[in-house]
Amino acid sequence: MDTALADRLAARHHLHSQGWIARRSEHFRHLPPPALEAWIGPEPDAPACEAPALSGAGWLLQPVGPAATAGVDARWLDALDPAQRNALFANLPGPGDGEAAPFAWAHRALCRQGLRLRIHTPPGKAAADCDTVWLHLHHQPRDTVEAPLLVLALEPGVRCVLIETHDRAPSACAHPLVQNLHTHIHLAEGAQLQHLRLALPQAQDRMAQHVHARLAQGARYQQALVATGAAYHLQRTMVQLQGANAQARSAALLLPAGQVLEQQVHTRLDAAHTAAHTEVLALAADHERVVANAHSRIAPGAHEAQVRQRLSGVALNGQPRMVLRPHLEILHDQVQAAHGATWGRLPEDALFYALQRGLDEAQARALLTEGMARAVLERAFDDDPGAQALAQWLDSGVLAQALARQLQAEVPHAA
C-alpha cells in the first residue's frame, strides 16, 4: 500500500469535509486567506520553476565559517516516497483542529519535499567547548504551488545562528507562487538558536509561512524577521516554552510595500520562570493593509513567568489600515506581564532636523525609517553572536533594499 498517497488523500478528504478557514475566524478576520483551492494545487507533476541542481528539495544549505559544518546532519527527503515521508514527518505533531489547522492539513496534502537538520556536538566534545554553528538556508521555489517542510533539532547545549532567506529574482521563476511553508524547531535542554528570517515575496505571490518552536528547560530562541507584502502574506510563529527557564524573543519589521501582510505570534508559557518578549514595527502607507497579532498564554503553575508585547505602527503616508492586536491570557497569579500598541506618523521634529542637515525629504524619511527598523531588529538579540550576525546582515544592504521597496510603493504627497 502507498502510505504516502493514502496520507495525502486523507488530508484532502479532511479539508473537503471539514472546510477551510471560516471568514468569521477570530485570528484571520482582518486578512482572510485565499480559498482552499489555492493551497492544495494539482497532483504532483514536473516542477514549474528552475531551481539549482544542488539546492535539494528547494533548500540550499550554506555553512558560514570554517567550523560551521561540525555536528550538522542534513537529510533532503522525498515526501512522495513512503519510507522517506515517514522519516520526514517522524515525531512531528499532527495538524490538530485549531484555527490555523487547515493550513497544516493543506500542507500534509501537498508536501512533496523537505529537509531535516540535526545539530549536535561532535563525538568526544562537550557542548560548552564547541563553537557556535553558523548556517545559511536559502529556499528556491520548485513549483508554482508548493508546501515545503523544514525540521530543525538542536541537541542539548548546542548554540546555532541560522540565517533563513526567501527571495528570488523574477527571472528565476516568472510565475506567481503559492507557498505554504511549515518549519518545526525543537530545542533540547540548554540549546540556543538565534534565527534571522528574510521573507520577500513577489507582489503577486501568495505566501503562508508557519514556524513551530518547542523549547525544553533552559533553551533560548530568538527570532528577527523582515517581511514584505504580497497578494497574500502570512507569517505565523508559535512558540511553546515547555521547560523551566526557557526564553523566547522575537522582533519583526513588517513592510506591506503596496500589498498586504499579516504576522501572528503565539507564545505558550507552560513552565515556571519562562519569559517571552514580542516586538513588531509596521511601516505602511496609502491604502496598504497590515495586521500584527500577538497572543501569549501563561499556563497554571507557570510561576514567575514574564511576558512583554510591544506593537507599533507608523503611517508613512496616506491612510493605511493597520491593525495591532496585543493579547494576554493569564492563568496564574505570580507573573509579570505587560502589553501595548501604538501608532502614529514619522515625528515632524525629527524630519525637520534631518532636512536642516541638507537632506531632501526622501533621504530624510529613509534615514529615519532605517534607524527605527534597526533599533527594533537589534532588540531581538541580547548578545553575540546573533547580534554580530544581524549587524552584518543589515549592513549587507538587505534592510536598505526592503525599505526602498516600501518607500517606492508610496503614492507621492499631494501638492
Side-chain angles (χ1 to χ4, degrees):
M1 179 180 178
D2 188 340
T3 54
L5 176 60
D7 188 27
R8 299 199 310 273
L9 291 177
R12 286 175 178 264
H13 174 74
H14 176 90
L15 285 167
H16 287 297
S17 61
Q18 299 298 318
W20 187 237
I21 294 172
R23 297 191 69 85
R24 64 180 181 277
S25 167
E26 178 61 25
H27 288 92
F28 294 92
R29 66 189 178 97
H30 295 284
L31 277 179
L36 168 63
E37 289 70 20
W39 303 99
I40 58 175
E43 287 298 318
D45 51 15
C49 300
E50 296 182 4
L54 298 179
S55 66
W59 292 103
L60 178 62
L61 177 61
Q62 299 172 310
V64 180
T69 56
V72 178
D73 294 336
R75 299 178 64 195
W76 285 265
L77 297 164
D78 181 0
L80 303 183
D81 177 271
Q84 293 189 48
R85 186 181 183 89
N86 288 338
L88 180 61
F89 284 94
N91 301 318
L92 297 186
D97 56 2
E99 293 238 354
F103 274 110
W105 284 103
H107 185 268
R108 289 292 177 107
L110 186 63
C111 183
R112 300 170 189 174
Q113 302 97 11
L115 169 63
R116 286 193 77 110
L117 279 174
R118 184 175 70 93
I119 305 178
H120 57 91
T121 55
K125 296 191 70 174
D129 299 327
C130 295
D131 294 332
T132 299
V133 177
W134 291 55
L135 297 173
H136 180 194
L137 264 179
H138 177 72
H139 187 268
Q140 173 64 47
R142 300 294 297 264
D143 297 279
T144 54
V145 182
E146 63 175 9
L149 177 62
L150 172 64
V151 183
L152 173 62
L154 270 63
E155 295 199 348
V158 168
R159 302 184 302 274
C160 178
V161 173
L162 174 63
I163 303 172
E164 178 189 350
T165 55
H166 299 264
D167 61 335
R168 75 184 197 285
S171 58
C173 184
H175 308 285
L177 300 178
V178 177
Q179 184 192 83
N180 180 14
L181 166 71
H182 284 250
T183 298
H184 291 268
I185 298 170
H186 180 241
L187 304 184
E189 183 175 349
Q192 300 180 28
L193 176 62
Q194 295 175 310
H195 194 181
L196 290 76
R197 304 186 63 242
L198 179 69
L200 306 180
Q202 297 297 311
Q204 298 307 310
D205 292 347
R206 287 173 286 185
M207 174 183 286
Q209 296 189 339
H210 308 257
V211 177
H212 311 263
R214 292 177 293 153
L215 279 62
Q217 180 175 343
R220 299 177 64 194
Y221 177 64
Q222 299 176 336
Q223 180 190 117
L225 167 70
V226 176
T228 57
Y232 178 78
H233 189 176
L234 169 68
Q235 287 289 332
R236 182 179 171 92
T237 298
M238 297 192 65
V239 181
Q240 291 180 269
L241 306 175
Q242 299 177 326
N245 297 301
Q247 300 179 29
R249 183 185 295 267
S250 70
L253 174 63
L254 306 182
L255 306 169
Q259 303 294 319
V260 301
L261 176 59
E262 176 170 5
Q263 186 194 29
Q264 300 178 7
V265 180
H266 297 262
T267 53
R268 292 176 55 95
L269 292 82
D270 294 331
H273 301 285
T274 49
H277 298 256
T278 301
E279 185 168 5
V280 176
L281 172 62
L283 302 177
D286 305 316
H287 299 290
E288 296 170 348
R289 299 170 65 193
V290 59
V291 179
N293 281 289
H295 185 283
S296 298
R297 180 183 186 274
I298 301 178
H303 188 69
E304 297 296 339
Q306 298 182 31
V307 169
R308 297 288 186 274
Q309 296 176 356
R310 180 180 178 182
L311 311 183
S312 304
V314 176
L316 300 175
N317 189 12
Q319 299 292 329
R321 179 181 177 185
M322 292 187 288
V323 180
L324 309 174
R325 303 180 68 203
H327 184 78
L328 298 176
E329 184 181 356
I330 302 174
L331 304 177
H332 190 78
D333 290 336
Q334 294 181 312
V335 301
Q336 298 181 37
H339 67 173
T342 182
W343 76 279
R345 297 190 179 276
L346 287 176
E348 293 295 333
D349 55 346
L351 275 173
F352 174 80
Y353 290 125
L355 293 172
Q356 297 306 302
R357 294 177 176 269
L359 301 176
D360 61 30
E361 183 173 350
Q363 292 172 326
R365 289 160 66 82
L367 183 66
L368 289 176
T369 53
E370 181 170 353
M372 295 170 60
R374 278 181 172 269
V376 168
L377 295 172
E378 287 170 353
R379 285 194 285 270
F381 302 126
D382 53 11
D383 57 12
D384 284 332
Q388 175 188 348
L390 178 64
Q392 295 174 353
W393 192 47
L394 298 178
D395 291 341
S396 69
V398 167
L399 178 60
Q401 292 172 11
L403 287 171
R405 177 177 169 183
Q406 173 64 45
L407 296 174
Q408 289 168 5
E410 297 181 37
V411 175
H413 290 280

